[in-house]
Amino acid sequence: MVALLPSIHFGEIMFIAVLNKLVKSIGILEISFALVCLAFTVIGILCQVVLRTVFDSPIAWMEEALTYAFIWLVFISASYAWKKIAISELTQYFFFLMVSHG
């Protein structure tokens, strides 16, 4: 009988396991960084509103920092969402293959 899949060696399995752990760790870092950017943006906007209305003196550099934090939030969140959508599409594709051929 002819093997349809090439043989996989132990070293390749270990490499794939390490790579999976690395991808999961990067995902956790993405979520953490996005949450920090979101918290900084919300708290910074709240501080700016209070300082503007109560003291009539906002912090000059805060708007620039909030703009950069929001931009990073959008980029990191888009990256994470892209990965989740790709994983979801692969899951649906394999489910379709299993149902149609199984």
Side-chain angles (χ1 to χ4, degrees):
M1 183 168 167
V2 177
L4 297 177
L5 296 175
S7 63
I8 298 176
H9 301 289
F10 181 73
E12 293 172 345
I13 294 173
M14 291 303 295
F15 176 73
I16 291 171
V18 169
L19 197 59
N20 282 337
K21 287 182 182 180
L22 180 65
V23 168
K24 287 180 184 181
S25 299
I26 290 173
I28 291 170
L29 286 175
E30 281 180 334
I31 292 172
S32 302
F33 187 69
L35 286 174
V36 167
C37 287
L38 179 64
F40 178 74
T41 303
V42 170
I43 292 170
I45 290 173
L46 181 64
C47 289
Q48 281 291 89
V49 168
V50 169
L51 290 173
R52 221 177 264 261
T53 56
V54 175
F55 300 110
D56 198 27
S57 177
I59 300 173
W61 55 267
M62 184 64 81
E63 289 184 31
E64 191 80 21
L66 291 173
T67 301
Y68 284 117
F70 186 72
I71 289 170
W72 275 104
L73 172 67
V74 169
F75 284 148
I76 297 295
S77 300
S79 168
Y80 185 75
W82 184 268
K83 289 177 191 172
K84 285 297 182 183
I85 289 171
I87 290 171
S88 174
E89 288 175 357
L90 281 175
T91 304
Q92 291 173 358
Y93 177 71
F94 286 126
F95 180 74
F96 172 74
L97 285 178
M98 287 179 4
V99 169
S100 63
H101 296 293

